[in-house]
Structure formats: structure tokens, C-alpha cells
Amino acid sequence: MPPSTHPIRINVDLGESYGNWACGPPTAELLPYIDHANIACGFHAGDPLIMQDTVRACLDSPSKRGPIALGAHPGLPDLQGFGRRYMALSPAELTAMTRYQIGALQGFISAEEGAPSLHHIKPHGTLYGLTSRDAEACRAVYAAVPAGARVFGLAGTAHEAVARELGIPFVAELYADVRWGRDGSLVIERRKGSWEPHETRQHVGAQVREGAVTAVTGERVEIPLGEHEVSLCVHSDSPGCMEILKAAREIVDEFNGAKFG
């Protein structure tokens, strides 16, 4: 597939701590390298104080490229499993829990003077995988998306199809630290493994420059980015997150500079 027809941005999951438990590098270390923030909303991680502090940190510390766009990162109600265990929920439950989480984050954003509106919604973990495969579940989650917000998802899956059906702007995601299956799905790990620097650069470079990735079984997988905006995800809970993020930033900036000036 051709590479993105838009400048590529970088998104990182933030606020994924809880109480005295910290996950990943400090938010202040991540912010200079990112464009989009996916803020945990309390179900898989995050609590009210962490959500508030994360919103304020993003607003007070713009990246080198300008203001950081704020997004909600709703997950399944699974603190112990970090939102990465399957749960059988009805469509009504999926809509209600997503709306609940988005509303909580919107409250913290609107409390800050001059804060922007919510930029996007990106389901977390197993909820992301479920909604990529199951159109009914995806419709239930997207029913909670407020007017004007985008959804981040996997191109060529129910994420894209349901967004088009409902008239919601769609942003296609690439992944710096997640491996892909030969069917174009993501390989979700309960505990993330480490990446060698050369693996990261090869993995990110192929997605950014070629619109393709090598599956865990060795096949080349084309990523149908089309004309969509694109955002590359780096997970803050990945081992070596900062090294992955810095490498991704370098590759993305090189691509954007060469293609878009």
C-alpha cells in the first residue's frame, strides 16, 4: 500500500496509573515527543486525580510541534487485568460505560480555562480488539462518541466501516510496539515484551514509509490507510518506552519532512 497522504502524528496512552501505583515513564518525559494524548478514564487505569493532573500536564506542556490534542481512552472495567481480559457485555452496557468514561474526562477538560474540546476517542486494549472485529460492539461504543470528536482505529476493520456508517471522522492507527497477525489484526499481549532498537526501527519504518508491516508469521501485511489521517501509537507501558518513542519520532519527522516539507 502507498504511505500516508497526510503528515503522520504520534499518540501515546497517558494517565495509566492508579493511586500510588505508577505505570511507565513520567508524563512530563513523554509530552515533548507526542501529538495526541489518549487519557485513561478510570476503568482500566487512572483515577480522578491522575486524570486531572494528566489533562493539566498536556495543556501546560505542549510538544515541540504545538498543542497536544486530548483524547479519551475508555476501557473495559478491569483494573486488575489492565483492560486486557475479555468481558461479555451487552451493547447497552458498552455504550453506557463508554459514555461514562468520556463524560468524566470531558469534565476535567472543561474545568480548565481555555481548554480545547475533546479531540478523539480511542478504545483501550481488549475493547479495541473487540470493536475492530465486531461491528455491533463497535456501534455500541461509537454511539457514545460526542459530536465533533474523531475515533482512532485500525484501518480495514469494523473501526473504519462503522465510523463511515455513522459519519464519525476516522483516524487510522499504526503501531510502534505491537506486532500484527497475518489477517491484519493486532497481537494483544497481557504483558508487553521488549523490543530491540533495530526491530523498532524496522517495524516503524516499514509502516511509515511503505504502508506495510511484517506479520508474526512472516508474511507482508498491507495496511489500507487510504486517504485517512494517520497517528502512530506508542504504549507508555511498553518496556523501553522512551527509546521506542524517540526512534518513532525520528522516523516520523523524517517522513513528514521529506514528503510534506
Side-chain angles (χ1 to χ4, degrees):
M1 289 288 178
S4 173
T5 57
H6 297 270
I8 295 176
R9 309 303 181 194
I10 291 181
N11 74 80
V12 173
D13 302 341
L14 299 179
E16 291 188 319
S17 299
Y18 192 82
N20 291 332
W21 177 70
C23 178
T27 298
E29 294 182 14
L30 298 165
L31 294 180
Y33 300 94
I34 77 175
D35 304 292
H36 301 141
N38 316 312
I39 301 176
C41 300
F43 274 33
H44 76 279
D47 62 36
L49 188 57
I50 289 172
M51 291 172 68
Q52 175 179 269
D53 290 347
T54 303
V55 167
R56 288 178 175 174
C58 290
L59 295 175
D60 293 342
S61 304
S63 75
K64 298 172 184 177
R65 287 147 296 280
I68 295 171
L70 304 180
H73 197 37
L76 295 172
D78 179 26
L79 279 174
Q80 185 172 340
F82 201 66
R84 290 183 178 143
R85 297 184 294 186
Y86 178 75
M87 302 177 74
L89 300 176
S90 70
E93 288 174 308
L94 289 170
T95 301
M97 72 160 205
T98 304
R99 183 170 290 134
Y100 183 97
Q101 293 176 79
I102 293 171
L105 183 65
Q106 284 183 304
F108 286 114
I109 294 174
S110 63
E112 301 301 315
E113 185 175 353
S117 58
L118 187 70
H119 179 265
H120 65 273
I121 312 299
K122 175 187 169 178
H124 164 81
T126 295
L127 184 62
Y128 187 98
L130 172 64
T131 51
S132 74
R133 300 185 301 271
D134 185 329
E136 182 182 23
C138 193
R139 288 187 195 97
V141 169
Y142 284 9
V145 174
R150 299 160 176 79
V151 291
F152 282 20
L154 204 55
T157 72
H159 287 159
E160 179 181 3
V162 174
R164 184 186 305 113
E165 173 189 317
L166 300 179
I168 301 172
F170 176 77
V171 177
E173 280 201 288
L174 304 176
Y175 278 87
D177 52 7
V178 179
R179 293 175 172 85
W180 299 61
R182 63 182 176 184
D183 62 352
S185 64
L186 300 178
V187 179
I188 303 298
E189 300 172 303
R190 283 283 305 278
R191 291 183 179 273
K192 292 188 173 298
S194 60
W195 288 75
E196 295 296 329
H198 73 277
E199 288 182 302
T200 298
R201 291 186 174 277
Q202 184 178 42
H203 189 64
V204 174
Q207 292 176 70
V208 168
R209 301 186 189 107
E210 304 170 29
V213 67
T214 300
V216 291
T217 46
E219 296 89 350
R220 178 182 170 91
V221 177
E222 305 287 341
I223 305 172
L225 299 176
E227 299 296 318
H228 296 301
E229 293 182 42
V230 177
S231 191
L232 171 74
C233 176
V234 178
H235 289 93
S236 57
D237 68 311
S238 288
C241 165
M242 288 305 306
E243 289 71 26
I244 294 171
L245 180 56
K246 289 175 182 178
R249 184 79 264 171
E250 183 180 328
I251 292 168
V252 165
D253 285 349
E254 181 184 88
F255 172 82
N256 289 343
K259 191 170 178 66
F260 303 101

